[in-house]
Amino acid sequence: MPDPMSVASGLCAAGALLSSWQLRRRSLRAEAEIGHLQAELAAERHAASHDPLTGLPNRRAFYRLAATLLTDAAGQPLIAIVLDLDDFKQINDRYGHAAGDQVLICVAERLAGFAGDNLVARLGGDEFAGLLASPTVDRRWIEHSTRRLAETVAAPIRLGGRSVQVTASVGLAPVTGPAQLTDALSRADAAMYQAKSLGGRRSPRQLVDSVRLAER
């Protein structure tokens, strides 16, 4: 006949083992739930600060990140960029909004590639902005960078079976501190609109469709 004390001891051990297993399961479930909630929170934060189409920071995030970069720059001049596509409505009217979205995604990728590790953002619509570290604020460097960025954006874009080309008006302005950010963006914006108004004399501003050109 089994020893009652041994039986009781065995039952206690089994109960302790079961309790420990249940606690472990609850702990794992709690850890999984916390991980899930943290992932959801991170996704919500990302969605709140990033443009859903291009993945770039949005307007609110741009101003916050730019202010931080300017604070950390310790007086080193940075270059504010404002970029706006010319006659972007033509793309939506001629090819549809899905094609327009593809153009915006392509422009965002090209701007990010041009900027490298620097901050770029989509402010809304077909307007983008950036903050570039620069070795100089020399006018010739700014003019050269403006021209190079405009040429980068204007490279042909494949849309289905055709190739289209869009132009962009670009404005750059130096900025040396957080307090000057708004003013620098205003000056860059003014330079961008000046470039847009002079576009007809500089280069074609309209949407260029390679298929249509080939038909002429």
Side-chain angles (χ1 to χ4, degrees):
M1 182 174 180
D3 181 16
M5 294 298 294
S6 299
V7 172
S9 177
L11 290 175
C12 288
L17 184 62
L18 177 62
S19 178
S20 176
W21 178 75
Q22 290 175 333
L23 287 174
R24 178 59 178 166
R25 284 192 62 189
R26 290 172 186 170
S27 175
L28 290 174
R29 284 200 300 266
E31 289 177 3
E33 183 65 22
I34 291 173
H36 180 68
L37 292 174
Q38 288 176 335
E40 284 188 343
L41 181 60
E44 289 176 1
R45 286 176 175 171
H46 185 275
S49 60
H50 288 75
D51 172 50
L53 178 64
T54 65
L56 295 180
N58 58 23
R59 179 184 292 270
R60 177 181 297 178
F62 172 74
Y63 279 94
R64 175 173 52 82
L65 294 171
T68 300
L69 288 172
L70 288 164
T71 300
D72 295 340
Q76 178 186 0
L78 300 174
I79 303 295
I81 296 177
V82 173
L83 181 150
D84 188 86
L85 298 182
D86 301 310
D87 300 320
F88 177 70
K89 186 175 181 294
Q90 291 188 51
I91 299 173
N92 289 328
D93 291 345
R94 188 178 300 179
Y95 304 116
H97 289 279
D101 287 348
Q102 288 302 310
V103 168
L104 291 173
I105 291 171
C106 183
V107 169
E109 291 174 349
R110 291 177 178 180
L111 177 58
F114 178 87
D117 294 331
N118 294 285
L119 172 65
V120 293
R122 182 186 178 200
L123 300 186
D126 58 345
E127 185 180 11
F128 298 83
L131 196 64
L132 300 184
S134 166
T136 178
V137 293
D138 178 77
R139 173 176 288 275
R140 287 181 297 178
W141 185 92
I142 290 178
E143 290 176 350
H144 172 73
S145 297
T146 300
R147 184 169 55 254
R148 190 160 62 88
L149 177 54
E151 291 171 351
T152 297
V153 172
I157 299 172
R158 296 292 301 176
L159 288 180
R162 68 177 69 226
S163 176
V164 301
Q165 183 181 14
V166 292
T167 59
S169 296
V170 182
L172 277 70
V175 52
T176 57
Q180 297 184 4
L181 176 61
T182 301
D183 178 65
L185 287 170
S186 295
R187 286 185 281 115
D189 197 58
M192 182 272 292
Y193 276 106
Q194 183 180 15
K196 194 178 287 287
S197 67
L198 297 175
R201 283 173 277 172
R202 280 191 314 161
S203 59
R205 311 307 293 173
Q206 72 276 12
L207 172 69
V208 179
D209 185 325
S210 63
V211 175
R212 291 179 180 272
L213 287 177
E215 293 171 352
R216 294 181 182 177

